[in-house]
Amino acid sequence: MGAKRWTPLIVGVSVAGAFWVVGGSLLLASWRSGVAAERARDAPICAHSDMFSGADCQATVAGELTKFTSSEMDVTVDGRSISSGVTISGQLPRTSPALPVKVTIYQGRMIHIEGETNLSVDTDAAPGTRSGNYRNFGICFMVFGASAGVYSAVKTVQDRDGQVQDVPWPGHDD
């Protein structure tokens, strides 16, 4: 009877703990992603020879957007074709003929493009791209974990009170 009384609390705290671990991990990922985005913003300007070397620098150069789908884009910069994954929904601009764009390159990878037609896209390689998603899901996991913990505590108290009321008082014949 004793262990059964605590089962809702044990299960609830275990579930809450698991959700808090996942939520905390997502919040940590959000923070790390934000730090990486700051590093990219504050990176020194690349020399032209270092632009594609992977050095910790950034450059914004002119290019042409040659292919643009909901999952990938191709840009030509200085005669070199660069591809990057993107995650986009909605109507996409036509790329035929090629659209002139400004390309931001960080650590040798394309992280952002801007065009004259209100086109502004962060690629999947951009630091901080998913920071908001990590933060929002992390908060949801933390709230759900707290709710599970509170629910299990209330359920345990309700079950305990129900069991106490069913036990007759010693010396009374009810």
Side-chain angles (χ1 to χ4, degrees):
M1 176 172 114
K4 194 172 190 178
R5 284 182 14 185
W6 296 102
T7 300
L9 184 62
I10 292 168
V11 169
V13 169
S14 299
V15 168
F19 274 92
W20 287 334
V21 167
V22 172
S25 298
L26 289 169
L27 291 174
L28 180 63
S30 171
W31 173 74
R32 288 182 55 125
S33 183
V35 169
E38 279 185 42
R39 284 188 185 147
R41 271 192 305 274
D42 297 339
I45 304 298
C46 291
H48 190 72
S49 61
D50 291 335
M51 194 167 31
F52 298 107
S53 69
D56 193 21
C57 61
Q58 71 161 319
T60 301
V61 294
E64 290 185 329
L65 181 63
T66 56
K67 177 182 176 187
F68 194 23
T69 67
S70 61
S71 62
E72 183 181 18
M73 73 168 65
D74 291 339
V75 175
T76 302
V77 174
D78 289 340
R80 180 185 292 216
S81 181
I82 308 170
S83 294
S84 186
V86 293
T87 306
I88 297 176
S89 61
Q91 188 171 1
L92 303 174
R94 302 178 103 190
T95 56
S96 205
L99 294 174
V101 291
K102 290 181 185 175
V103 182
T104 302
I105 297 170
Y106 174 65
Q107 294 180 336
R109 297 179 301 185
M110 176 174 47
I111 63 168
H112 183 78
I113 65 162
E114 288 186 19
E116 296 172 0
T117 58
N118 293 332
L119 177 66
S120 179
V121 178
D122 285 334
T123 68
D124 291 344
T129 298
R130 293 184 176 84
S131 180
N133 292 345
Y134 292 146
R135 183 184 58 252
N136 293 340
F137 280 113
I139 290 169
C140 288
F141 271 83
M142 297 297 271
V143 168
F144 188 78
S147 300
V150 168
Y151 174 78
S152 67
V154 169
K155 184 71 173 150
T156 301
V157 169
Q158 287 175 343
D159 289 352
R160 188 188 67 199
D161 288 347
Q163 290 175 357
V164 170
Q165 291 173 359
D166 294 340
V167 176
W169 285 91
H172 290 85
D173 295 328
D174 285 39

